[in-house]
Amino acid sequence: MKLNVIKTRSLWWSISTALITVGIIAMVISFIQLGAPLRLGLDFVGGTRLQLERDCTQPGNCDQPIDLAMVRDVMTAQGLGNSSIQILGEEKQALTIRTKTLDVEERTQLQTALTERLGVFDPKSTQIDTVGPTLGRQLFISGLIALFMAFVGIFVYLTFRFEFDYGLFAFVALFHDVLIAIGLFSILGLVLGVEVDTLFVVALLTIIGFSVNDTVVIYDRVREVIKLKPGQHINQIVEDAVNQTLTRSINTTLTTLLPLLAILLFGGETLKFFALALIIGFTAGSYSSIFIASTLLAWWRERTGKAQSVVDVPVKPEKEGNSVIEAEFSDEV
């Protein structure tokens, strides 16, 4: 089956535009509510995070789910009313609290107050993380610099490796993938309270590398087809290149997504959202390489009058003896 990417490019562009628009709206709402386009985790903003889980081996300790209002009352009584509280699990027997930086005495006092109101917590499941605000700010800035340098480096490489328009639209495809990943996580942050940490930045850098690899394969085939068929229209060249590399792109994406799905379903809490970010980004990267980067290149070359690349083929001079014989034959005829 041959994929007609050029005839249906308006559809692909509309899908991408809709996804990006929804993501941008979510980022704006998040910025208004939280002061950032994403719900930033402890790594970036600093503070103390406590994850507590009831000890259900104690008789009657888990008869009722944790009451969010009761937790909020305890936090308010401790002078921590602005803290972020999230109830975890289907049975709602665990919770995560993110608050300002607490010292050991303050953490102990808070845990004691929560135990008195909510019941005994399992010490084996208790997790406490503390990050200073200065370090969090440095990590955030370092992550942005890393993303910026990755974009610039890839754009410069592709410009020299191919041509300027190849590099430009590969850059657009990469930006498309990153925007979709950030937009969906912004939605998850608003709906489910999902926070992003330094692993999310690592995921974005990995997404960029995967996406540009797929795009380079298609662009390299476009260049080969242009050399083989120099007079052919760019639309046909792009469609041939996409269809010739389509099986490879799909197989690469599927074999990459399988282990990520395993991590998402059976991995720990720490890697769950990291795997989800990669799944979203890799899917968007494969989509953008096939439907966005290739069709934008064809559209641009049509607009700039480069729809057909003509390569001058030198004509070899004929031998003198043959020319004389052909001339005599023409005269006789």
Side-chain angles (χ1 to χ4, degrees), residues 26-223:
M27 285 187 275
V28 171
I29 296 173
S30 179
F31 190 85
I32 294 173
Q33 295 182 356
L34 307 174
L38 294 165
R39 185 180 291 273
L40 299 178
L42 193 68
D43 292 353
F44 294 133
V45 297
T48 298
R49 178 173 56 195
L50 294 88
Q51 183 164 319
L52 308 171
E53 184 176 351
R54 277 175 170 171
D55 186 0
C56 293
T57 60
Q58 301 287 335
N61 199 46
C62 299
D63 291 346
Q64 299 292 330
I66 294 176
D67 186 358
L68 180 61
M70 188 179 296
V71 179
R72 180 66 66 186
D73 291 340
V74 174
M75 299 300 295
T76 303
Q78 297 292 318
L80 303 172
N82 294 328
S83 302
S84 173
I85 304 170
Q86 184 178 2
I87 308 298
L88 305 176
E90 294 181 0
E91 299 180 357
K92 297 183 178 181
Q93 298 297 333
L95 76 156
T96 295
I97 300 172
R98 194 182 74 183
T99 184
K100 66 179 184 178
T101 303
L102 304 177
D103 57 27
V104 177
E105 183 180 351
E106 290 172 329
R107 291 200 304 265
T108 303
Q109 185 177 353
L110 176 59
Q111 286 182 263
T112 302
L114 289 171
T115 301
E116 292 175 355
R117 293 292 300 274
L118 303 177
V120 180
F121 293 102
D122 184 1
K124 296 180 180 179
S125 302
T126 300
Q127 298 181 12
I128 302 175
D129 303 310
T130 300
V131 176
T134 302
L135 178 60
R137 193 179 306 110
Q138 291 176 350
L139 289 172
F140 180 73
I141 295 174
S142 298
L144 292 180
I145 293 174
L147 284 173
F148 176 76
M149 295 302 296
F151 273 114
V152 172
I154 289 172
F155 175 72
V156 172
Y157 167 75
L158 290 178
T159 300
F160 282 97
R161 178 74 169 79
F162 296 95
E163 296 179 32
F164 175 78
D165 51 358
Y166 285 81
L168 175 63
F169 294 117
F171 178 86
V172 172
L174 294 180
F175 197 62
H176 162 278
D177 304 336
V178 170
L179 269 181
I180 287 180
I182 293 176
L184 289 179
F185 264 78
S186 181
I187 295 172
L188 291 175
L190 292 173
V191 177
L192 301 178
V194 175
E195 299 176 349
V196 297
D197 52 15
T198 50
L199 280 179
F200 184 71
V201 178
V202 176
L204 292 181
L205 292 171
T206 309
I207 290 167
I208 292 173
F210 178 87
S211 178
V212 74
N213 177 67
D214 219 11
T215 304
V216 165
V217 170
I218 294 177
Y219 277 175
D220 198 50
R221 187 56 59 90
V222 168
R223 189 170 58 176

Side-chain angles (χ1 to χ4, degrees), residues 213-289:
N213 177 67
D214 219 11
T215 304
V216 165
V217 170
I218 294 177
Y219 277 175
D220 198 50
R221 187 56 59 90
V222 168
R223 189 170 58 176
E224 290 178 1
V225 176
I226 288 176
K227 291 179 179 179
L228 292 173
K229 303 174 182 178
Q232 197 171 53
H233 196 277
I234 188 63
N235 287 347
Q236 187 61 47
I237 289 173
V238 167
E239 288 212 347
D240 290 344
V242 168
N243 282 280
Q244 290 170 15
T245 57
L246 185 61
T247 302
R248 180 262 179 203
S249 299
I250 293 175
N251 289 340
T252 302
T253 303
L254 288 178
T255 52
T256 307
L257 291 180
L258 288 176
L260 291 174
L261 285 172
I263 295 174
L264 177 65
L265 297 175
F266 307 110
E269 290 291 327
T270 306
L271 295 177
K272 181 170 65 175
F273 292 113
F274 174 71
L276 178 61
L278 290 180
I279 290 172
I280 294 171
F282 287 179
T283 304
S286 180
Y287 174 87
S288 67
S289 297

Side-chain angles (χ1 to χ4, degrees), residues 3-14 16 165 169-170 172-173 215 218-219 222 234-235 237-239 242 287-303:
L3 189 63
N4 296 319
V5 294
I6 299 297
K7 292 181 179 179
T8 55
R9 62 187 177 189
S10 297
L11 172 63
W12 314 126
W13 294 353
S14 299
S16 295
D165 51 358
F169 294 117
V172 172
T215 304
I218 294 177
Y219 277 175
V222 168
I234 188 63
N235 287 347
I237 289 173
V238 167
E239 288 212 347
V242 168
Y287 174 87
S288 67
S289 297
I290 297 172
F291 300 109
I292 304 300
S294 59
T295 55
L296 282 175
L297 178 66
W299 170 81
W300 177 255
R301 296 221 158 180
E302 279 186 300
R303 293 290 301 270

